[in-house]
Amino acid sequence: MKIATWNVNSVRARLPVVLDWLDQAAPDVLLLQETKTVCAQFPTLPFAERGYQLATFGEPALNGVAIVAKHPIEDRRDGLPGDTEDREARYIEATVGDVRVASVYVPNGTTIGSDRFAYKLAFFDRLRDHAQDLLEQDATLVIGGDYNVAPTPEDVYDAAALEGTICYHPDERAKYRTLLNLGLYDGFRTTQPRTHAYSWWHYQGRSFELDHGMRIDHLLLSPYAVDRLDTCAIDDQVRAVKQPSDHVPVWCTLID
DNA sequence: ATGGTGGCTTAGCCA
């Protein structure tokens, strides 16, 4: 089973790029973030024409997550528990085949010390608590998404320069590590322990040409899932297409 | 360099 995650930065603006990649890569499951649309405006037809089913969770203009799958999407849940006031569409989870999958869009945090940064750290606590519940049910679990955290110095283009800045602040890295400490595995690091690779490059300047990127999109796997992990890779060539997302797909294959 | 780029929605926010 091939499972991918991709922050597309608007599914409507990115539709041709997403469909091209889908036709080439043919994943069984694609976990989308930043769809930036209400569900009624989600372009469902081109996915259906390709034999994919959809579960979408959106809001106007911002955020938005979705699960795209070749097989039936069952027992979905929209949103992360732990804060009834939180209306942002950042989490969707469902069962596809014998795997529980989730698409998560962790808040960016904007500025260190801001309200948005506090929301980001609190979101990580809620994600950790919920993942713990799923692990206690012995789920074969894959949580893919834009975590907006580069975990280690190997995951940023200039660790010294970026230390303490958004997406590479020690408080964020500590929150990300609490997920690993539950017993979740970073699929990319498990299969490629020392590869420097990025999943996001800023739109500004010549970030991609200079390879000034960060690895902030991750597939986290439960023990039963990582037992079946075969390959994990980042499709960085997708950043070079016309009108790209600032993120590229990250995918893994699980042995059936 | 308080800029730079992009999307949504329409000038300001969020990333």
Side-chain angles (χ1 to χ4, degrees), chain A residues 15 23 28-29 97 109 111 119 121 123 150 177 181 193 213 220 227 240:
Chain A
L15 192 59
D23 290 339
D28 297 285
V29 178
T111 307
Y119 173 59
L121 299 182
F123 188 93
R177 281 199 305 276
N181 295 339
L220 293 189
D227 281 345

Side-chain angles (χ1 to χ4, degrees), chain A residues 95-117:
Chain A
T95 298
V96 179
D98 59 356
V99 181
R100 191 75 178 157
V101 295
S103 177
V104 65
Y105 178 38
V106 174
N108 169 280
T110 311
T111 307
I112 308 300
S114 66
D115 289 349
R116 296 299 294 169
F117 190 68

Side-chain angles (χ1 to χ4, degrees), chain A residues 26-89:
Chain A
D28 297 285
V29 178
L30 172 57
L31 306 165
L32 294 174
Q33 301 89 39
E34 274 209 274
T35 53
K36 288 189 168 178
T37 181
V38 294
C39 296
Q41 302 282 346
F42 197 105
T44 56
L45 196 58
F47 290 93
E49 286 171 349
R50 288 164 171 79
Y52 284 96
Q53 311 199 17
L54 281 169
T56 67
F57 179 40
E59 61 177 278
L62 296 174
N63 308 317
V65 286
I67 298 171
V68 183
K70 277 185 184 171
H71 309 291
I73 300 170
E74 297 169 320
D75 300 323
R76 69 184 271 189
R77 100 160 268 138
D78 295 353
L80 208 52
D83 182 356
T84 54
E85 303 297 302
D86 186 2
R87 295 283 179 270
E88 300 189 18

Side-chain angles (χ1 to χ4, degrees), chain A residues 94-233:
Chain A
T95 298
V96 179
D98 59 356
V99 181
R100 191 75 178 157
V101 295
S103 177
V104 65
Y105 178 38
V106 174
N108 169 280
T110 311
T111 307
I112 308 300
S114 66
D115 289 349
R116 296 299 294 169
F117 190 68
Y119 173 59
K120 180 179 194 173
L121 299 182
F123 188 93
F124 266 114
D125 288 339
R126 292 164 59 200
L127 182 58
R128 185 207 168 279
D129 289 348
H130 186 58
Q132 184 168 37
D133 286 345
L134 294 170
L135 288 168
E136 283 171 1
Q137 298 162 32
D138 286 335
T140 298
L141 174 68
V142 177
I143 308 175
D146 176 1
Y147 288 77
N148 267 315
V149 173
T152 76
E154 287 71 43
D155 300 314
V156 295
Y157 69 92
D158 187 338
L162 293 171
E163 178 60 42
T165 63
I166 201 69
C167 300
Y168 195 61
H169 187 280
D171 293 351
E172 304 171 66
R173 302 197 312 261
K175 290 297 186 190
Y176 179 82
R177 281 199 305 276
T178 68
L179 300 174
L180 304 183
N181 295 339
L182 284 177
L184 289 171
Y185 294 78
D186 174 343
F188 187 78
R189 273 296 160 241
T190 302
T191 57
Q192 308 197 41
R194 278 174 289 279
T195 306
H196 285 248
Y198 310 129
S199 64
W200 172 88
W201 298 260
H202 206 121
Y203 280 124
Q204 293 166 200
R206 296 161 55 232
S207 300
F208 184 61
E209 288 82 350
L210 299 170
D211 202 24
H212 286 183
M214 303 176 87
R215 195 176 69 90
I216 58 176
D217 300 271
H218 309 297
L219 290 159
L220 293 189
L221 282 68
S222 71
Y224 284 123
V226 80
D227 281 345
R228 293 166 52 184
L229 178 61
D230 181 48
T231 304
C232 187

